[in-house]
């Protein structure tokens, strides 16, 4: 008998967006998927909330704020089944009819049907910003089991022709997809149709080390701490991306998803990335976007204790001790706070949040919480 699925909250918070998960479980079986230890892969997706109930939960939730970007269906693929796609189109229509005007992101590796593309176009016309993240890594069916890669690649020109913004989600990087010929094949396609690429190394949550080691044995070396890193990279991919061939010079490539979102949405940085080494050395950002951040970041509303206390009360952490470094917009706590609450506080207030890591934390730390990439030499 299969283990019972461990469902995530319908409304949750990740490091660069709030997430909305009314359907959970995936019938695919990608070897690196963070849903594996939740027993949510190779299963029929489960509907946990109707579209109407989902929007009601979202608006009532302590994490909801108009400033946030929403990522939908991160515990499944919105286009994995017909039932998923039907739920998605109904949810988009319900959101479009509500007060919600947060940017909405859909992340997929699956074929997007024509009627779903039509639905996305209609709700965008109502003023609900919808972006599609196409998760195209260059990995093959031996690792991304059940994915039809030809259909995934065909999504790029189809969405582009429909005028729907595409972000190329390039993740994870493993030795298997870090050879220059694979990297070039991926970016040759994405750079033609996507607004930008977001590159993400391999994320390893506390319970997934054995799962990822099966794909990449080198990370098990005793001198390495892959779970303390923001992400883990093969050096071949890391160096290739830092020295991209000239033919990609007009294609923005980001390591920080918050910056990609700011670029595509016409916003400035709110995550404290501007003018940092990541901004200057890792992100290939257009000059116009850098100028937007240079002008706007110093003009942000001051970070006040009144605003911090108000949001801490909303997060059920009223009275927790903290210090504020106004010059860097940094809030420092002396006691552990759940990572999801720290992320929400940071995104709502456009601040950097530091706190001790809780020993029972189930999520990866993330660069926005201070972790750094780990680069590994792989034969």
């Amino acid at each position: 008998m299969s283990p019972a699925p461990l469902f995530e909250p319908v409304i949750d918070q990740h490091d660069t967006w709030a997430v909305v998960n009314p359907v959970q479980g995936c019938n695919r079986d990608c070897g690196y998927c963070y849903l594996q230890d939740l027993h949510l892969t190779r299963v029929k997706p489960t509907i946990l909330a109707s579209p109407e109930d989902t929007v009601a939960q979202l608006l009532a939730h302590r994490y909801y704020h108009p400033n946030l970007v929403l990522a939908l269906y991160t515990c499944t693929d919105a286009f994995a089944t017909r039932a998923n796609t039907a739920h998605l189109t109904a949810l988009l229509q319900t959101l479009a009819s509500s007060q919600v005007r947060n940017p909405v992101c859909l992340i997929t590796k699956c074929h997007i049907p024509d009627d779903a593309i039509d639905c996305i176009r209609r709700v965008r016309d109502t003023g609900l910003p919808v972006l599609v993240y196409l998760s195209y890594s260059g990995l093959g069916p031996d690792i991304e089991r059940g994915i039809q890669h030809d259909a995934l690649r065909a999504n790029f020109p189809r969405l582009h022709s429909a005028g729907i913004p595409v972000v190329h989600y390039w993740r994870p990087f493993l030795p298997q997809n870090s050879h220059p010929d694979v990297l070039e094949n991926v970016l040759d396609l994405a750079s033609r149709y996507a607004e930008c690429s977001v590159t993400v190394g391999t994320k390893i949550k506390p319970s997934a080390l054995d799962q990822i080691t099966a794909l990449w044995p080198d990370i098990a070396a005793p001198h390495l701490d892959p779970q303390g890193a923001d992400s883990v990279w093969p050096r071949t991919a890391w160096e290739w991306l830092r020295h991209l061939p000239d033919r990609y010079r007009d294609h923005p490539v980001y390591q920080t998803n918050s910056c990609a979102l700011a670029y595509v949405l016409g916003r400035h940085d709110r995550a404290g990335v501007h003018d940092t080494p990541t901004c200057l050395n890792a992100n290939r950002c257009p000059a116009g976007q850098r100028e937007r951040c240079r002008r706007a970041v110093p003009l942000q509303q001051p970070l006040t204790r009144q605003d911090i206390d108000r949001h801490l009360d909303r997060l059920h952490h009223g009275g927790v001790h903290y210090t504020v470094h106004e010059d860097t917009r940094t809030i420092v706590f002396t006691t552990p706070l759940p990572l999801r609450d720290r992320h929400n506080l940071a995104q709502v207030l456009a601040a950097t949040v530091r706190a001790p890591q809780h020993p029972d934390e189930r999520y990866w730390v993330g660069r926005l919480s201070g972790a750094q990439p780990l680069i590994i030499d792989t034969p």
Side-chain angles (χ1 to χ4, degrees):
M1 184 175 179
S2 300
L6 303 173
F7 295 118
E8 298 280 83
V10 171
I11 309 299
D12 206 352
Q13 177 73 55
H14 290 181
D15 57 354
T16 53
W17 41 35
V19 295
V20 181
N21 282 314
V23 181
Q24 299 188 28
C26 184
N27 54 5
R28 271 57 171 186
D29 185 29
C30 295
Y32 51 79
C33 183
Y34 83 101
L35 299 177
Q36 277 198 19
D37 68 331
L38 302 176
H39 315 300
L40 288 171
T41 58
R42 295 187 296 171
V43 298
K44 180 181 178 181
T46 299
I47 296 175
L48 301 179
S50 70
E52 294 76 15
D53 185 43
T54 301
V55 174
Q57 288 190 47
L58 173 67
L59 291 172
H61 202 278
R62 66 187 185 280
Y63 288 154
Y64 179 72
H65 191 278
N67 286 346
L68 300 187
V69 175
L70 307 177
L72 309 188
Y73 303 93
T74 66
C75 287
T76 186
D77 189 301
F79 304 102
T81 67
R82 291 182 181 180
N84 276 21
T85 303
H87 194 284
L88 164 68
T89 56
L91 178 57
L92 288 177
Q93 292 163 1
T94 305
L95 285 167
S97 300
S98 75
Q99 69 192 62
V100 174
R101 284 300 176 266
N102 303 64
V104 170
C105 298
L106 306 173
I107 307 164
T108 187
K109 295 185 185 73
C110 297
H111 168 73
I112 304 177
D114 289 340
D115 57 349
I117 291 178
D118 291 341
C119 175
I120 294 170
R121 291 178 62 183
R122 288 195 302 273
V123 299
R124 281 178 53 82
D125 288 343
T126 71
L128 183 70
V130 181
L131 317 177
V132 177
Y133 275 58
L134 292 179
S135 184
Y136 177 42
S137 65
L139 292 167
D142 56 328
I143 293 177
E144 294 183 336
R145 295 179 286 269
I147 302 301
Q148 301 299 317
H149 289 92
D150 288 343
L152 168 56
R153 287 186 285 267
N155 285 333
F156 281 92
R158 294 173 62 238
L159 291 167
H160 185 266
S161 296
I164 297 170
V166 172
V167 175
H168 169 218
Y169 216 10
W170 203 352
R171 55 160 194 167
F173 283 92
L174 298 166
Q176 294 90 329
N177 66 335
S178 293
H179 299 290
D181 56 341
V182 177
L183 298 167
E184 290 185 16
N185 284 337
V186 170
L187 202 53
D188 282 347
L189 174 65
S191 63
R192 292 177 60 192
Y193 301 109
E195 303 290 321
C196 63
S197 293
V198 177
T199 59
V200 184
T202 301
K203 299 279 192 178
I204 306 174
K205 64 180 181 179
S207 56
L209 182 59
D210 290 344
Q211 173 190 343
I212 302 301
T213 301
L215 302 173
W216 188 356
D218 292 339
I219 66 172
H223 67 284
L224 298 176
D225 180 22
Q227 291 170 296
D230 164 59
S231 57
V232 187
W233 293 75
R235 187 172 297 279
T236 48
W238 180 267
E239 295 296 336
W240 190 87
L241 288 164
R242 290 176 68 88
H243 305 286
L244 282 173
D246 285 345
R247 67 178 182 274
Y248 305 121
R249 63 180 177 272
D250 295 328
H251 181 68
V253 179
Y254 294 96
Q255 284 190 19
T256 44
N257 187 40
S258 62
C259 294
L261 286 165
Y263 168 64
V264 176
L265 295 170
R267 299 177 170 185
H268 63 81
D269 170 49
R270 289 174 47 87
V273 179
H274 173 64
D275 214 26
T276 64
T278 298
C279 168
L280 301 174
N281 302 323
N283 288 340
R284 291 173 56 98
C285 190
Q289 179 65 17
R290 291 188 183 278
E291 179 64 12
R292 175 182 284 123
C293 292
R294 187 190 71 80
R295 290 177 179 272
V297 167
L299 301 178
Q300 294 180 106
Q301 290 290 331
L303 187 61
T304 69
R305 284 189 169 271
Q306 182 180 20
D307 289 337
I308 297 169
D309 290 342
R310 182 185 303 115
H311 200 61
L312 283 173
D313 285 342
R314 181 173 174 83
L315 295 175
H316 308 149
H317 294 298
V320 176
H321 180 265
Y322 63 87
T323 56
V324 182
H325 302 270
E326 295 180 4
D327 55 333
T328 60
R329 295 185 69 88
T330 301
I331 309 168
V332 180
F333 295 87
T334 57
T335 55
L337 252 66
L339 193 56
R340 49 175 39 108
D341 291 353
R342 287 155 55 187
H343 288 325
N344 185 262
L345 184 69
Q347 289 174 44
V348 169
L349 299 180
T352 299
V353 178
R354 298 283 183 256
Q357 186 79 349
H358 194 284
D360 296 329
E361 186 59 64
R362 294 175 46 230
Y363 293 93
W364 45 80
V365 178
R367 189 179 305 216
L368 299 182
S369 293
Q372 294 300 313
L374 172 64
I375 295 93
I376 296 179
D377 291 308
T378 300

